[in-house]
Coordinates of all heavy atoms in Angstrom, one line a residue:
M215 N 0.8 -1.2 0.0 CA 0.0 0.0 0.0 C 0.9 1.3 0.0 O 0.6 2.2 -0.8 CB -0.9 -0.1 1.2 CG -1.9 1.1 1.3 SD -3.1 1.0 0.0 CE -4.1 2.3 0.5
A216 N 1.9 1.3 0.9 CA 2.8 2.4 0.9 C 3.5 2.6 -0.4 O 3.7 3.7 -0.8 CB 3.8 2.3 2.1
A217 N 3.9 1.5 -1.0 CA 4.7 1.6 -2.3 C 3.8 2.2 -3.4 O 4.2 3.0 -4.2 CB 5.2 0.2 -2.7
E218 N 2.5 1.8 -3.4 CA 1.6 2.3 -4.3 C 1.4 3.8 -4.1 O 1.3 4.6 -5.1 CB 0.2 1.6 -4.3 CG -0.8 2.1 -5.3 CD -0.3 1.8 -6.7 OE1 0.4 0.8 -7.0 OE2 -0.7 2.5 -7.6
K219 N 1.3 4.3 -2.9 CA 1.2 5.7 -2.6 C 2.4 6.5 -3.0 O 2.3 7.6 -3.6 CB 0.9 5.9 -1.1 CG 0.6 7.3 -0.7 CD -0.8 7.6 -1.2 CE -1.2 9.0 -0.7 NZ -2.3 9.5 -1.4
D220 N 3.6 5.9 -2.8 CA 4.9 6.5 -3.2 C 4.9 6.6 -4.8 O 5.3 7.6 -5.3 CB 6.1 5.7 -2.8 CG 6.3 5.8 -1.3 OD1 5.7 6.7 -0.6 OD2 7.0 5.0 -0.7
R221 N 4.4 5.6 -5.4 CA 4.4 5.6 -6.9 C 3.4 6.7 -7.4 O 3.8 7.4 -8.3 CB 3.9 4.2 -7.3 CG 4.0 4.0 -8.8 CD 3.7 2.5 -9.1 NE 3.8 2.2 -10.5 CZ 2.9 2.3 -11.4 NH1 1.7 2.6 -11.0 NH2 3.1 2.0 -12.6
E222 N 2.3 6.8 -6.7 CA 1.4 7.9 -7.1 C 2.0 9.2 -6.9 O 1.8 10.1 -7.7 CB 0.1 7.7 -6.3 CG -1.0 8.6 -6.8 CD -2.3 8.4 -6.0 OE1 -2.5 7.3 -5.4 OE2 -3.2 9.3 -6.1
T223 N 2.6 9.4 -5.8 CA 3.3 10.7 -5.5 C 4.3 11.0 -6.5 O 4.4 12.1 -7.0 CB 3.9 10.6 -4.0 OG1 2.9 10.4 -3.1 CG2 4.6 11.9 -3.7
D224 N 5.1 10.0 -6.9 CA 6.2 10.2 -7.9 C 5.6 10.6 -9.2 O 6.1 11.5 -9.9 CB 7.0 8.9 -8.1 CG 7.9 8.6 -6.9 OD1 8.1 9.5 -6.0 OD2 8.4 7.5 -6.8
Y225 N 4.5 10.0 -9.6 CA 3.8 10.3 -10.8 C 3.3 11.7 -10.8 O 3.6 12.4 -11.8 CB 2.6 9.3 -10.9 CG 1.6 9.7 -12.0 CD1 1.9 9.5 -13.4 CD2 0.4 10.3 -11.7 CE1 1.0 9.9 -14.4 CE2 -0.5 10.7 -12.7 CZ -0.2 10.5 -14.0 OH -1.1 10.9 -15.0
Y226 N 2.7 12.2 -9.8 CA 2.2 13.6 -9.8 C 3.3 14.6 -9.7 O 3.3 15.6 -10.3 CB 1.2 13.8 -8.7 CG -0.1 13.1 -9.0 CD1 -0.6 12.0 -8.2 CD2 -0.9 13.5 -10.0 CE1 -1.8 11.4 -8.5 CE2 -2.1 12.9 -10.3 CZ -2.6 11.8 -9.6 OH -3.7 11.2 -9.9
Y227 N 4.4 14.2 -9.0 CA 5.6 15.1 -9.0 C 6.2 15.2 -10.4 O 6.5 16.3 -10.8 CB 6.6 14.6 -8.0 CG 7.8 15.4 -7.9 CD1 7.9 16.6 -7.2 CD2 9.0 15.0 -8.6 CE1 9.0 17.4 -7.2 CE2 10.1 15.8 -8.6 CZ 10.1 17.0 -7.9 OH 11.3 17.7 -7.8
A228 N 6.3 14.1 -11.1 CA 6.9 14.1 -12.4 C 6.0 14.9 -13.4 O 6.6 15.7 -14.2 CB 7.1 12.7 -12.9
L229 N 4.7 14.8 -13.3 CA 3.8 15.6 -14.1 C 3.9 17.0 -13.8 O 3.9 17.9 -14.7 CB 2.4 15.1 -14.0 CG 1.9 13.9 -14.8 CD1 0.5 13.6 -14.6 CD2 2.2 14.1 -16.3
A230 N 4.1 17.4 -12.5 CA 4.2 18.8 -12.1 C 5.5 19.3 -12.7 O 5.5 20.5 -13.1 CB 4.2 18.9 -10.6
Q231 N 6.6 18.6 -12.7 CA 7.8 19.0 -13.3 C 7.7 19.3 -14.8 O 8.2 20.3 -15.3 CB 9.0 18.0 -13.0 CG 9.3 17.9 -11.6 CD 9.8 19.3 -11.0 OE1 10.6 20.0 -11.5 NE2 9.1 19.6 -9.9
A232 N 7.0 18.4 -15.5 CA 6.8 18.6 -16.9 C 5.9 19.9 -17.1 O 6.2 20.7 -18.0 CB 6.1 17.4 -17.5
G233 N 4.9 20.1 -16.3 CA 4.1 21.3 -16.3 C 4.9 22.6 -16.1 O 4.7 23.6 -16.7
R234 N 5.9 22.5 -15.2 CA 6.7 23.6 -14.9 C 7.6 23.9 -16.1 O 7.8 25.1 -16.4 CB 7.6 23.3 -13.7 CG 8.6 24.4 -13.3 CD 7.8 25.6 -12.7 NE 8.8 26.6 -12.4 CZ 8.8 27.9 -12.9 NH1 7.8 28.2 -13.7 NH2 9.7 28.7 -12.6
M235 N 8.1 22.9 -16.8 CA 8.8 23.1 -18.0 C 8.0 23.9 -19.1 O 8.5 24.7 -19.7 CB 9.4 21.8 -18.6 CG 10.3 22.0 -19.7 SD 11.1 20.5 -20.3 CE 12.2 20.2 -19.0
E236 N 6.7 23.5 -19.1 CA 5.8 24.2 -20.1 C 5.7 25.7 -19.7 O 5.6 26.5 -20.6 CB 4.5 23.5 -20.1 CG 4.5 22.2 -20.9 CD 3.1 21.5 -20.9 OE1 2.3 21.7 -19.9 OE2 2.8 20.9 -21.9
E237 N 5.6 25.9 -18.4 CA 5.5 27.3 -17.9 C 6.7 28.1 -18.3 O 6.6 29.3 -18.7 CB 5.3 27.3 -16.4 CG 3.9 26.8 -16.0 CD 3.8 26.7 -14.4 OE1 4.8 27.1 -13.7 OE2 2.8 26.2 -14.0
I238 N 7.9 27.5 -18.1 CA 9.1 28.2 -18.5 C 9.2 28.4 -20.0 O 9.6 29.5 -20.4 CB 10.4 27.3 -18.0 CG1 10.4 27.3 -16.5 CG2 11.7 27.8 -18.6 CD1 11.4 26.3 -15.9
A239 N 8.7 27.5 -20.8 CA 8.7 27.7 -22.2 C 7.8 28.8 -22.6 O 8.1 29.6 -23.4 CB 8.3 26.4 -22.9
A240 N 6.6 28.9 -21.9 CA 5.7 30.0 -22.2 C 6.3 31.3 -21.8 O 6.1 32.3 -22.5 CB 4.4 29.8 -21.5
A241 N 7.0 31.4 -20.7 CA 7.7 32.6 -20.3 C 8.7 33.0 -21.2 O 8.9 34.2 -21.6 CB 8.3 32.4 -18.9
L242 N 9.5 32.1 -21.7 CA 10.5 32.4 -22.8 C 9.9 32.9 -24.0 O 10.4 33.9 -24.6 CB 11.3 31.2 -23.1 CG 12.5 30.8 -22.2 CD1 13.1 29.5 -22.6 CD2 13.5 31.9 -22.2
K243 N 8.8 32.3 -24.4 CA 8.1 32.8 -25.6 C 7.6 34.2 -25.4 O 7.7 35.0 -26.3 CB 6.9 31.8 -25.9 CG 6.2 32.1 -27.2 CD 7.1 31.8 -28.3 CE 6.5 30.6 -29.2 NZ 7.4 30.4 -30.3
D244 N 7.1 34.5 -24.2 CA 6.7 35.9 -23.9 C 7.8 36.9 -24.0 O 7.7 38.0 -24.6 CB 6.0 36.0 -22.5 CG 5.5 37.3 -22.2 OD1 4.7 37.9 -22.9 OD2 6.0 37.9 -21.2
V245 N 9.0 36.5 -23.5 CA 10.2 37.3 -23.6 C 10.5 37.6 -25.0 O 10.8 38.7 -25.4 CB 11.4 36.7 -22.8 CG1 12.7 37.4 -23.2 CG2 11.2 36.7 -21.3
S246 N 10.5 36.6 -25.8 CA 10.8 36.7 -27.2 C 9.8 37.5 -28.0 O 10.1 38.5 -28.7 CB 11.0 35.3 -27.8 OG 11.2 35.4 -29.2
D247 N 8.6 37.1 -27.9 CA 7.5 37.7 -28.8 C 7.1 39.1 -28.3 O 6.7 39.9 -29.2 CB 6.3 36.8 -28.8 CG 6.6 35.5 -29.5 OD1 7.6 35.3 -30.2 OD2 5.7 34.5 -29.4
R248 N 7.0 39.3 -27.0 CA 6.5 40.6 -26.6 C 7.5 41.5 -26.1 O 7.7 42.6 -26.6 CB 5.4 40.3 -25.5 CG 4.5 41.5 -25.2 CD 3.4 41.2 -24.2 NE 3.9 40.6 -23.0 CZ 4.3 41.4 -22.0 NH1 4.3 42.7 -22.1 NH2 4.7 40.8 -20.8
Q249 N 8.3 41.1 -25.1 CA 9.2 42.0 -24.5 C 10.4 42.4 -25.3 O 10.7 43.6 -25.5 CB 9.7 41.4 -23.1 CG 8.6 41.2 -22.1 CD 9.0 40.5 -20.9 OE1 10.2 40.3 -20.6 NE2 8.1 40.1 -20.1
L250 N 11.1 41.4 -25.9 CA 12.3 41.7 -26.7 C 11.9 42.4 -28.0 O 12.5 43.3 -28.4 CB 13.1 40.4 -27.0 CG 14.4 40.6 -27.7 CD1 15.3 41.6 -27.0 CD2 15.1 39.3 -27.9
S251 N 10.7 42.0 -28.5 CA 10.2 42.6 -29.7 C 10.0 44.1 -29.5 O 10.3 45.0 -30.3 CB 9.0 41.9 -30.2 OG 8.5 42.6 -31.3
G252 N 9.4 44.4 -28.3 CA 9.1 45.8 -28.0 C 10.3 46.6 -27.8 O 10.4 47.8 -28.2
I253 N 11.3 46.0 -27.2 CA 12.6 46.7 -27.0 C 13.3 47.0 -28.3 O 13.7 48.1 -28.5 CB 13.6 45.9 -26.1 CG1 13.0 45.8 -24.6 CG2 15.0 46.4 -26.1 CD1 13.7 44.8 -23.8
L254 N 13.3 46.0 -29.2 CA 13.9 46.3 -30.5 C 13.2 47.3 -31.3 O 13.8 48.1 -32.0 CB 14.0 44.9 -31.3 CG 14.9 43.9 -30.7 CD1 14.8 42.6 -31.4 CD2 16.4 44.4 -30.6
Q255 N 11.9 47.3 -31.2 CA 11.1 48.3 -31.9 C 11.4 49.7 -31.4 O 11.5 50.7 -32.2 CB 9.6 48.0 -31.8 CG 9.1 46.9 -32.7 CD 7.6 46.6 -32.5 OE1 6.9 47.2 -31.7 NE2 7.2 45.5 -33.2
S256 N 11.5 49.8 -30.1 CA 11.8 51.1 -29.5 C 13.2 51.6 -29.9 O 13.4 52.8 -30.2 CB 11.7 51.1 -27.9 OG 10.4 50.8 -27.5
L257 N 14.1 50.7 -29.9 CA 15.5 51.1 -30.3 C 15.5 51.5 -31.8 O 16.2 52.5 -32.1 CB 16.4 49.9 -30.2 CG 17.0 49.6 -28.8 CD1 17.8 48.3 -28.8 CD2 17.9 50.8 -28.4
S258 N 14.7 50.8 -32.6 CA 14.8 51.1 -34.1 C 14.2 52.5 -34.3 O 14.6 53.2 -35.3 CB 14.0 50.1 -34.9 OG 12.6 50.1 -34.6
K259 N 13.3 53.0 -33.5 CA 12.7 54.3 -33.7 C 13.7 55.4 -33.3 O 13.6 56.5 -33.9 CB 11.4 54.5 -32.8 CG 10.3 53.6 -33.3 CD 9.1 53.7 -32.4 CE 8.0 52.8 -32.9 NZ 6.8 52.8 -31.9
G260 N 14.5 55.2 -32.3 CA 15.4 56.2 -31.8 C 16.8 56.1 -32.2 O 17.6 57.1 -32.0
W261 N 17.2 55.0 -32.8 CA 18.7 54.8 -33.1 C 18.8 54.5 -34.6 O 18.3 53.5 -35.0 CB 19.2 53.7 -32.2 CG 20.7 53.5 -32.3 CD1 21.6 54.4 -32.7 CD2 21.4 52.3 -31.9 NE1 22.9 53.8 -32.6 CE2 22.7 52.5 -32.1 CE3 21.0 51.1 -31.3 CZ2 23.7 51.6 -31.8 CZ3 21.9 50.2 -31.0 CH2 23.3 50.4 -31.2
K262 N 19.5 55.3 -35.3 CA 19.6 55.1 -36.7 C 21.1 55.0 -37.1 O 22.0 55.4 -36.3 CB 19.0 56.3 -37.5 CG 17.6 56.6 -37.2 CD 16.7 55.5 -37.7 CE 15.2 55.9 -37.3 NZ 14.3 54.7 -37.4
G263 N 21.4 54.4 -38.2 CA 22.7 54.3 -38.7 C 23.2 52.9 -38.8 O 22.5 51.9 -38.5
E264 N 24.4 52.8 -39.3 CA 25.0 51.4 -39.5 C 25.1 50.6 -38.3 O 24.8 49.4 -38.3 CB 26.4 51.6 -40.2 CG 26.9 50.4 -40.8 CD 28.3 50.6 -41.5 OE1 28.3 51.6 -42.3 OE2 29.2 49.9 -41.2
N265 N 25.6 51.2 -37.2 CA 25.7 50.4 -36.0 C 24.3 49.9 -35.4 O 24.2 48.9 -34.9 CB 26.4 51.2 -34.9 CG 27.9 51.4 -35.2 OD1 28.5 50.6 -35.9 ND2 28.5 52.4 -34.7
A266 N 23.3 50.8 -35.6 CA 22.0 50.5 -35.2 C 21.5 49.2 -35.9 O 20.9 48.3 -35.4 CB 21.0 51.6 -35.4
L267 N 21.7 49.3 -37.2 CA 21.2 48.1 -38.0 C 21.9 46.8 -37.6 O 21.2 45.8 -37.6 CB 21.4 48.4 -39.5 CG 20.6 49.5 -40.1 CD1 21.0 49.8 -41.6 CD2 19.1 49.1 -40.1
A268 N 23.2 46.9 -37.4 CA 23.9 45.7 -37.0 C 23.4 45.2 -35.6 O 23.2 44.0 -35.4 CB 25.4 46.0 -36.9
Y269 N 23.2 46.1 -34.7 CA 22.7 45.7 -33.4 C 21.3 45.1 -33.4 O 21.0 44.1 -32.8 CB 22.7 46.9 -32.4 CG 22.4 46.6 -31.0 CD1 23.4 46.2 -30.2 CD2 21.1 46.7 -30.5 CE1 23.2 45.8 -28.8 CE2 20.9 46.4 -29.2 CZ 21.9 46.0 -28.4 OH 21.6 45.6 -27.1
L270 N 20.4 45.8 -34.2 CA 19.1 45.3 -34.3 C 19.0 43.9 -35.0 O 18.2 43.1 -34.7 CB 18.2 46.3 -35.1 CG 17.9 47.6 -34.3 CD1 17.3 48.6 -35.2 CD2 17.1 47.4 -33.1
S271 N 19.9 43.7 -36.0 CA 20.0 42.4 -36.6 C 20.4 41.3 -35.6 O 19.8 40.2 -35.6 CB 21.0 42.5 -37.8 OG 21.2 41.2 -38.4
M272 N 21.4 41.6 -34.8 CA 21.8 40.7 -33.7 C 20.6 40.4 -32.8 O 20.4 39.3 -32.3 CB 23.0 41.2 -33.0 CG 24.3 41.1 -33.8 SD 25.8 41.4 -32.9 CE 25.4 42.7 -31.8
G273 N 19.9 41.5 -32.5 CA 18.7 41.3 -31.6 C 17.6 40.4 -32.2 O 17.0 39.6 -31.5
A274 N 17.4 40.6 -33.5 CA 16.4 39.8 -34.2 C 16.9 38.3 -34.2 O 16.0 37.4 -34.0 CB 16.2 40.3 -35.6
K275 N 18.2 38.0 -34.4 CA 18.7 36.7 -34.3 C 18.5 36.1 -32.9 O 18.1 34.9 -32.8 CB 20.1 36.6 -34.7 CG 20.3 36.9 -36.2 CD 21.8 36.9 -36.5 CE 22.0 37.2 -38.0 NZ 23.4 37.4 -38.4
L276 N 18.8 36.9 -31.9 CA 18.6 36.4 -30.5 C 17.1 36.1 -30.3 O 16.8 35.1 -29.7 CB 19.0 37.5 -29.5 CG 18.8 37.2 -28.1 CD1 19.6 36.0 -27.6 CD2 19.2 38.4 -27.2
Q277 N 16.2 37.0 -30.8 CA 14.8 36.7 -30.6 C 14.4 35.4 -31.3 O 13.6 34.6 -30.7 CB 14.0 37.9 -31.2 CG 12.5 37.8 -31.0 CD 11.8 39.0 -31.7 OE1 12.4 39.8 -32.4 NE2 10.5 39.1 -31.4
D278 N 14.9 35.1 -32.4 CA 14.6 33.8 -33.1 C 15.1 32.6 -32.3 O 14.5 31.6 -32.2 CB 15.2 33.8 -34.5 CG 14.5 34.8 -35.5 OD1 13.4 35.2 -35.2 OD2 15.1 35.1 -36.5
R279 N 16.3 32.8 -31.7 CA 16.9 31.7 -31.0 C 16.1 31.4 -29.7 O 15.9 30.3 -29.3 CB 18.4 32.0 -30.6 CG 19.3 31.9 -31.9 CD 20.7 32.3 -31.6 NE 21.3 31.5 -30.6 CZ 22.3 31.8 -29.9 NH1 23.0 33.0 -30.1 NH2 22.8 31.0 -29.0
I280 N 15.7 32.5 -29.0 CA 14.9 32.3 -27.8 C 13.6 31.6 -28.1 O 13.1 30.7 -27.4 CB 14.7 33.7 -27.1 CG1 16.0 34.2 -26.5 CG2 13.6 33.5 -26.0 CD1 15.9 35.6 -26.0
S281 N 12.9 32.1 -29.2 CA 11.7 31.5 -29.6 C 11.8 30.0 -30.0 O 11.0 29.2 -29.6 CB 11.1 32.3 -30.8 OG 9.9 31.7 -31.2
A282 N 12.9 29.7 -30.7 CA 13.2 28.3 -31.0 C 13.4 27.4 -29.8 O 13.0 26.3 -29.7 CB 14.3 28.2 -32.0
S283 N 14.1 28.0 -28.8 CA 14.4 27.3 -27.6 C 13.1 27.0 -26.8 O 12.9 26.0 -26.3 CB 15.4 28.1 -26.7 OG 16.6 28.2 -27.3
S284 N 12.2 28.0 -26.8 CA 10.9 27.9 -26.2 C 10.1 26.7 -26.9 O 9.5 25.9 -26.2 CB 10.1 29.2 -26.3 OG 8.8 29.0 -25.9
D285 N 10.1 26.7 -28.2 CA 9.4 25.6 -28.9 C 10.0 24.2 -28.5 O 9.3 23.3 -28.4 CB 9.5 25.8 -30.4 CG 8.7 27.1 -30.8 OD1 7.8 27.5 -30.1 OD2 8.9 27.5 -32.0
R286 N 11.4 24.2 -28.5 CA 12.0 22.9 -28.1 C 11.6 22.4 -26.7 O 11.3 21.3 -26.5 CB 13.5 23.0 -28.3 CG 13.9 22.9 -29.8 CD 15.4 22.7 -29.9 NE 16.2 23.7 -29.2 CZ 16.6 24.9 -29.8 NH1 16.2 25.2 -31.0 NH2 17.3 25.7 -29.1
L287 N 11.7 23.4 -25.8 CA 11.3 23.1 -24.4 C 9.9 22.6 -24.3 O 9.6 21.6 -23.6 CB 11.5 24.3 -23.5 CG 12.8 24.5 -22.9 CD1 12.8 25.8 -22.1 CD2 13.3 23.4 -22.1
C288 N 9.0 23.2 -25.0 CA 7.6 22.7 -25.0 C 7.5 21.3 -25.6 O 6.7 20.5 -25.0 CB 6.7 23.7 -25.9 SG 5.0 23.6 -25.6
G289 N 8.2 21.0 -26.6 CA 8.2 19.7 -27.2 C 8.8 18.7 -26.2 O 8.2 17.5 -26.1
I290 N 9.8 19.0 -25.5 CA 10.4 18.1 -24.5 C 9.4 17.9 -23.4 O 9.2 16.7 -22.9 CB 11.7 18.7 -23.9 CG1 12.8 18.7 -25.0 CG2 12.2 18.0 -22.7 CD1 14.0 19.5 -24.7
A291 N 8.7 18.9 -22.9 CA 7.7 18.8 -21.9 C 6.6 17.8 -22.3 O 6.2 16.9 -21.5 CB 7.1 20.1 -21.5
E292 N 6.2 17.9 -23.5 CA 5.1 17.0 -24.1 C 5.6 15.6 -24.1 O 4.9 14.6 -23.7 CB 4.7 17.4 -25.5 CG 3.9 18.7 -25.5 CD 3.6 19.2 -26.9 OE1 4.0 18.5 -27.9 OE2 3.0 20.3 -27.0
D293 N 6.9 15.4 -24.5 CA 7.5 14.1 -24.6 C 7.6 13.5 -23.1 O 7.4 12.3 -22.9 CB 8.9 14.1 -25.2 CG 8.8 14.3 -26.7 OD1 7.7 14.2 -27.3 OD2 9.8 14.7 -27.3
M294 N 8.0 14.4 -22.2 CA 8.1 13.9 -20.8 C 6.7 13.4 -20.3 O 6.7 12.4 -19.7 CB 8.6 15.1 -19.9 CG 10.0 15.4 -20.0 SD 10.5 16.8 -19.0 CE 10.0 16.3 -17.4
Q295 N 5.7 14.1 -20.6 CA 4.4 13.7 -20.2 C 4.0 12.4 -20.7 O 3.4 11.5 -20.0 CB 3.3 14.8 -20.5 CG 3.5 16.1 -19.7 CD 2.6 17.2 -20.2 OE1 2.1 17.1 -21.3 NE2 2.5 18.3 -19.4
K296 N 4.3 12.1 -22.0 CA 4.0 10.8 -22.6 C 4.7 9.7 -21.9 O 4.2 8.7 -21.6 CB 4.3 10.9 -24.1 CG 3.4 11.7 -24.9 CD 3.9 11.8 -26.4 CE 3.1 12.8 -27.2 NZ 3.6 13.0 -28.5
V297 N 6.0 10.0 -21.7 CA 6.9 8.9 -21.0 C 6.4 8.7 -19.6 O 6.3 7.5 -19.2 CB 8.4 9.4 -21.1 CG1 9.2 8.5 -20.2 CG2 8.9 9.4 -22.5
I298 N 6.1 9.7 -18.9 CA 5.6 9.6 -17.5 C 4.3 8.8 -17.5 O 4.2 7.8 -16.7 CB 5.3 11.0 -16.9 CG1 6.7 11.7 -16.7 CG2 4.5 10.9 -15.6 CD1 6.5 13.2 -16.4
K299 N 3.4 9.1 -18.4 CA 2.1 8.3 -18.4 C 2.3 6.9 -18.8 O 1.7 6.0 -18.2 CB 1.1 9.0 -19.4 CG 0.6 10.3 -18.8 CD -0.2 11.1 -19.8 CE -0.7 12.4 -19.1 NZ -1.5 13.2 -20.0
K300 N 3.3 6.6 -19.7 CA 3.6 5.2 -20.1 C 4.3 4.5 -18.9 O 4.0 3.3 -18.6 CB 4.4 5.1 -21.3 CG 3.7 5.3 -22.6 CD 4.6 5.2 -23.8 CE 3.8 5.3 -25.1 NZ 4.7 5.1 -26.2
T301 N 5.2 5.2 -18.3 CA 6.0 4.6 -17.2 C 5.2 4.2 -16.0 O 5.3 3.1 -15.4 CB 7.1 5.5 -16.8 OG1 8.0 5.8 -17.9 CG2 8.0 4.9 -15.7
Y302 N 4.3 5.1 -15.7 CA 3.5 4.9 -14.4 C 2.2 4.2 -14.7 O 1.4 3.9 -13.8 CB 3.3 6.2 -13.7 CG 4.5 6.7 -13.0 CD1 5.4 7.6 -13.7 CD2 4.9 6.2 -11.8 CE1 6.5 8.0 -13.0 CE2 6.0 6.6 -11.2 CZ 6.9 7.5 -11.8 OH 8.0 8.0 -11.2
G303 N 1.8 3.9 -15.9 CA 0.6 3.2 -16.2 C -0.6 4.0 -15.6 O -1.2 3.5 -14.7
T304 N -0.9 5.1 -16.1 CA -1.8 6.0 -15.5 C -3.2 5.5 -15.3 O -4.0 6.1 -14.6 CB -1.9 7.4 -16.3 OG1 -2.2 7.1 -17.6 CG2 -0.5 8.1 -16.2
E305 N -3.5 4.4 -16.0 CA -4.9 3.9 -15.8 C -5.2 3.6 -14.4 O -6.4 3.6 -13.9 CB -5.2 2.7 -16.7 CG -4.3 1.5 -16.4 CD -2.9 1.5 -17.0 OE1 -2.6 2.4 -17.8 OE2 -2.2 0.6 -16.6
N306 N -4.2 3.3 -13.6 CA -4.4 3.0 -12.1 C -4.2 4.2 -11.2 O -4.5 4.1 -10.0 CB -3.5 1.9 -11.7 CG -3.8 0.6 -12.4 OD1 -4.9 0.3 -12.8 ND2 -2.7 -0.2 -12.7
L307 N -3.8 5.3 -11.8 CA -3.4 6.4 -10.9 C -4.4 7.6 -11.0 O -4.5 8.5 -10.2 CB -2.0 6.9 -11.2 CG -0.9 6.0 -10.9 CD1 0.4 6.5 -11.4 CD2 -0.9 5.7 -9.5
T308 N -5.2 7.7 -12.1 CA -6.0 8.8 -12.2 C -7.5 8.5 -12.0 O -7.9 7.4 -11.8 CB -5.9 9.4 -13.7 OG1 -6.2 8.4 -14.6 CG2 -4.6 10.0 -13.9

């Protein structure tokens, strides 16, 4: 009985960790899509010239990398959830 309770606790803890990863991915997506985008737009309005273009280009690349990392983390979290459900045989736990 105690082993089954520990197994159930482990299952819910593992699912919570996967959920936390999804939250982190969403926060990264927000940083990329909203916050960094806003910063780069503000900079482009007030800073002109060759150096500005180079800096904004690097900022856009960083934005793309952050967004891609967010997408990968979300995919990993989904994979984790599938593995957790298969590993713990959720039909007996939910």
Side-chain angles (χ1 to χ4, degrees):
M215 181 69 171
E218 184 63 29
K219 188 68 174 165
D220 289 343
R221 188 171 185 270
E222 185 175 345
T223 300
D224 290 346
Y225 167 75
Y226 288 113
Y227 178 78
L229 277 183
Q231 293 302 309
R234 179 69 181 122
M235 186 176 290
E236 286 179 325
E237 291 171 6
I238 292 168
L242 276 175
K243 188 65 117 177
D244 181 61
V245 166
S246 173
D247 292 349
R248 195 174 56 82
Q249 295 176 13
L250 187 54
S251 180
I253 290 168
L254 293 174
Q255 286 177 0
S256 294
L257 278 174
S258 70
K259 289 178 184 175
W261 187 19
K262 304 295 180 194
E264 192 175 310
N265 289 335
L267 290 175
Y269 188 84
L270 292 171
S271 175
M272 288 189 322
K275 288 177 186 175
L276 175 62
Q277 185 179 9
D278 290 343
R279 290 176 58 201
I280 292 171
S281 183
S283 293
S284 169
D285 292 342
R286 283 192 305 272
L287 275 178
C288 196
I290 291 168
E292 289 173 6
D293 290 345
M294 283 176 60
Q295 290 170 348
K296 289 176 188 174
V297 169
I298 290 164
K299 289 175 181 178
K300 281 185 178 183
T301 301
Y302 286 95
T304 58
E305 64 277 353
N306 296 326
L307 295 175
T308 55

